[in-house]
Amino acid sequence: MTHADSLPVYAISHAGPNQAVDETVTSDFFAKLGQKWLSLEPAPKAILVISGHWEGAEGVIRVRTSEQNQLYYDFYNFPDHMYKLQYPSKGSPQLAARVLELLGQANIPAESETKRGIDHGVWVPLLRILPKPEIPIVQMSLADLRGKSAEYAFEYHIRVGQALKQLRQENVLIVASGTAVHNLRELRTYMGTGRVAPFVKPFDDLLDHVVSIETSEEDRHKAAVHDIANSPHLTAAHPSLDHLLPFFVAFGAAGADKSKKLHSNHIVTLSESAWSFGEK
């Protein structure tokens, strides 16, 4: 397969667990995205998802290697029916082994995981994107880098994405599932005011800017790390970095491919924006 035949990379905002059942502009977007994925050429043989809800040990990436994907209901105080939802997808031990191999070649510590199910950052959006789970799914964690600087965490996860870039030429669809702006701490402050928090649009605009920089891959990554780490809105937009880091994995896997804004929706203290890289 040539570079021209590489599958795109997607960075989506998975939104809350209620997205599994609610009819919203983002669920409508997910449905259209699924139609797009099913029409991709070549057809994806598997999907690798990086969720903002799973971190391995310090500096370690964990990869689900199971044949079947049980669900992890990693949310609380939702109606009972939410904990009865099912998404009976298959895993892909072959893809998982390939991911572990590529990360090892890049000297990125990585380990197999068989006990933890796929979390709602994976199954909730995929339930709406691909209601029939016919494509095998592998979830991969972030690395826990909470004691490190934002710059270090961003650069590390770009390296992870770069290590996995080859998968795009092996008919694997790489999907980063985070949230473009994710501040639940201030949700109540703005809830009911009819206003979107003042940090949401500026930070979302910054993400638009850094993914659209057209220069060398190295310079684009440097600019993204610098500009986002030094944004005056970073701490408000992401009190913790877990929902932002998947975007850096996508950015690394994208190389120098052009981005495309696919979706935008600002809600109180959240942004549900989504981008693709390398779409034809």
Side-chain angles (χ1 to χ4, degrees):
M1 184 184 296
T2 66
H3 176 72
D5 295 323
S6 295
L7 287 176
V9 177
Y10 291 88
I12 64 172
S13 294
H14 58 250
N18 56 298
Q19 204 66 245
V21 294
D22 289 352
E23 297 303 324
T24 68
V25 294
T26 296
S27 68
D28 289 345
F29 160 67
F30 284 156
K32 294 175 182 176
L33 184 61
Q35 295 171 5
K36 181 180 293 187
W37 287 4
L38 291 175
S39 66
L40 287 172
E41 292 291 345
K45 69 178 183 182
I47 302 173
L48 176 65
V49 186
I50 305 93
S51 164
H53 286 278
W54 187 19
E55 293 171 309
E58 183 175 354
V60 178
I61 300 293
R62 297 189 67 81
V63 183
R64 275 189 49 81
T65 56
S66 303
E67 289 274 3
Q68 301 292 328
N69 289 322
Q70 72 270 25
L71 300 191
Y72 178 25
Y73 300 92
D74 57 325
F75 46 85
Y76 309 95
N77 301 318
F78 279 79
D80 289 346
H81 69 266
M82 293 292 297
Y83 302 94
K84 297 176 182 177
L85 293 171
Q86 296 295 318
Y87 191 69
S89 63
K90 293 182 178 180
S92 173
Q94 296 80 13
L95 171 57
R98 179 66 171 141
V99 170
L100 290 167
E101 177 187 22
L102 290 171
L103 292 174
Q105 290 173 359
N107 295 315
I108 296 170
E111 299 174 351
S112 168
E113 171 65 51
T114 58
K115 295 181 180 180
R116 185 187 191 276
I118 58 173
D119 59 57
H120 81 269
V122 178
W123 66 264
V124 165
L126 286 179
L127 179 66
R128 305 309 296 262
I129 296 170
L130 298 171
K132 294 182 179 180
E134 298 174 346
I135 304 174
I137 299 163
V138 170
Q139 180 176 3
M140 186 188 86
S141 80
L142 303 167
D144 185 350
L145 297 172
R146 291 176 187 268
K148 304 292 186 181
S149 68
E151 291 92 337
Y152 183 91
F154 297 163
E155 290 169 351
Y156 192 95
H157 286 89
I158 285 175
R159 280 183 53 219
V160 171
Q162 289 174 319
L164 301 174
K165 188 192 309 183
Q166 173 63 29
L167 294 174
R168 298 174 58 195
Q169 298 187 42
E170 299 174 14
N171 292 6
V172 174
L173 192 63
I174 299 175
V175 180
S177 178
T179 305
V181 176
H182 187 260
N183 184 334
L184 299 182
R185 298 179 189 179
E186 296 190 48
L187 190 62
R188 290 185 179 180
T189 302
Y190 292 93
M191 188 74 76
T193 67
R195 295 186 295 122
V196 172
F199 52 81
V200 174
K201 186 179 186 302
F203 194 81
D204 201 62
D205 288 346
L206 175 60
L207 293 178
D208 280 337
H209 168 69
V210 298
V211 301
S212 64
I213 295 172
E214 294 188 16
T215 181
S216 70
E217 178 180 351
E218 181 180 1
D219 287 346
R220 183 162 80 157
H221 289 164
K222 285 181 178 178
V225 169
H226 176 272
D227 291 356
I228 294 176
N230 289 281
S231 167
H233 304 289
L234 174 61
T235 301
H238 290 277
S240 63
L241 297 177
D242 47 12
H243 277 64
L244 180 59
L245 293 177
F247 291 90
F248 284 92
V249 180
F251 211 33
D257 283 352
K258 289 186 177 181
S259 68
K260 182 187 298 183
K261 184 74 169 277
L262 302 179
H263 179 62
S264 180
N265 187 39
H266 298 166
I267 305 174
V268 194
T269 58
L270 307 171
S271 166
E272 297 176 346
S273 290
W275 296 266
S276 67
F277 299 88
E279 266 193 352
K280 299 178 180 65

